[in-house]
């Protein structure tokens, strides 16, 4: 009987240990499930958050690209505008207001008339070289000769003026000389002329026919009316 009791006791202990082990395994398995689910949930949240972040970044990047393209387009449009790249055209007679005034200074060896050309075209224009100058006289038309001074090219801003001089000798002959009745000016590279009243001395000395006593300087060779 003692042997059987010990055997039963041993079996009971073994059964108890086995039951405890089974309970521990079940508990471990139960804990493992929630832990795994929590991890997946955390992973899904992180993934969702990451997706949101990526999506936001992509949208922001798209906005930047869109803004950049828009800005680039505007810049290109401005850069290729007709006002930005168009060549400045030459000044036309009809776009210039042309006036003349006497500008003789005491002590000068010759008398001087200064012609002013004012740009009223509404745009900038280029002007260079010599204007054509003819004096209407009692003896016929008299063309001025160029001084030979080098002529530079310049852009005449809208509303601004440029000047050139006409030089001619004093009439010291004591005679009536040649009476001047008008001034004809043709801007450089133009064929259309403007006729003005002559603002200088009334007469020129009679010459021996060896050449014109009237000289014209290039546009820009006279200052503010002088």
């Amino acid at each position: 009987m003692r042997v059987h009791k010990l055997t039963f006791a041993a079996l009971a202990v073994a059964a108890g240990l086995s039951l405890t082990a089974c309970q521990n395994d079940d508990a471990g398995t139960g804990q493992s499930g929630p832990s795994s689910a929590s991890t997946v949930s955390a992973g899904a949240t992180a993934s969702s958050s990451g997706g949101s972040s990526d999506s936001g970044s992509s949208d922001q990047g798209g906005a930047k690209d869109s803004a950049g393209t828009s800005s680039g387009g505007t810049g290109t449009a401005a850069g290729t505008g007709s006002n930005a790249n168009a060549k400045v055209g030459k000044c036309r007679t009809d776009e210039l207001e042309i006036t003349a005034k006497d500008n003789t200074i005491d002590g000068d060896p010759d008398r001087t008339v200064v012609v002013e050309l004012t740009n009223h075209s509404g745009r900038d224009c280029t002007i260079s070289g010599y204007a054509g100058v003819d004096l209407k006289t009692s003896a016929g038309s008299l063309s001025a000769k160029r001084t030979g001074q080098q002529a530079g090219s310049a852009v005449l801003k809208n509303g601004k003026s440029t000047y050139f001089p006409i030089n001619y000798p004093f009439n010291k002959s004591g005679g009536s000389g040649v009476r001047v009745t008008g001034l004809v000016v043709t801007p450089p590279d133009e064929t259309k002329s403007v006729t003005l009243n002559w603002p200088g001395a009334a007469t020129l000395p009679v010459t021996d026919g060896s050449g014109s006593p009237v000289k014209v300087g290039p546009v820009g060779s006279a200052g503010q009316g002088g």
Side-chain angles (χ1 to χ4, degrees):
M1 290 292 293
R2 183 176 180 77
V3 173
H4 288 295
K5 286 180 180 179
L6 290 174
T7 300
F8 288 138
L11 290 172
V13 170
L17 292 173
S18 176
L19 182 59
T20 301
C22 288
Q23 289 175 349
N24 288 338
D25 288 343
D26 290 343
T29 301
Q31 291 174 357
S32 174
S35 174
S36 175
S38 177
T39 302
V40 170
S41 176
T45 301
S47 174
S48 175
S49 173
S52 221
S53 172
D54 291 343
S55 175
S57 174
S58 176
D59 289 344
Q60 290 172 1
K64 287 178 181 177
D65 290 342
S66 175
T69 302
S70 175
S71 174
T74 302
T76 301
T80 55
S82 60
N83 289 338
N85 292 337
K87 291 183 178 179
V88 178
K90 66 180 181 180
C91 301
R92 301 291 184 179
T93 302
D94 291 336
E95 298 173 333
L96 297 169
E97 180 184 358
I98 304 175
T99 59
K101 69 176 184 179
D102 182 69
N103 199 62
T104 302
I105 299 174
D106 291 341
D108 284 353
D110 292 322
R111 298 185 70 97
T112 303
V113 165
V114 168
V115 177
E116 177 179 4
L117 303 97
T118 303
N119 178 9
H120 63 83
S121 64
R123 65 177 178 88
D124 298 346
C125 60
T126 59
I127 189 165
S128 63
Y130 285 81
V133 171
D134 295 283
L135 271 60
K136 291 182 175 182
T137 75
S138 56
S141 180
L142 178 66
S143 296
K145 283 190 173 182
R146 298 179 179 183
T147 60
Q149 186 178 347
Q150 186 174 0
S153 179
V155 174
L156 185 59
K157 298 290 185 180
N158 181 48
K160 300 299 184 180
S161 299
T162 188
Y163 309 84
F164 68 85
I166 301 171
N167 301 113
Y168 62 100
F170 286 90
N171 182 11
K172 300 177 181 178
S173 64
S176 59
V178 177
R179 185 167 57 89
V180 182
T181 60
L183 169 65
V184 181
V185 176
T186 308
D189 300 319
E190 283 291 279
T191 57
K192 186 174 182 178
S193 303
V194 174
T195 301
L196 307 172
N197 292 325
W198 174 247
T203 61
L204 297 174
V206 177
T207 65
D208 58 4
S210 60
S212 174
V214 182
K215 307 291 184 184
V216 59
V219 171
S221 61
Q224 297 286 321

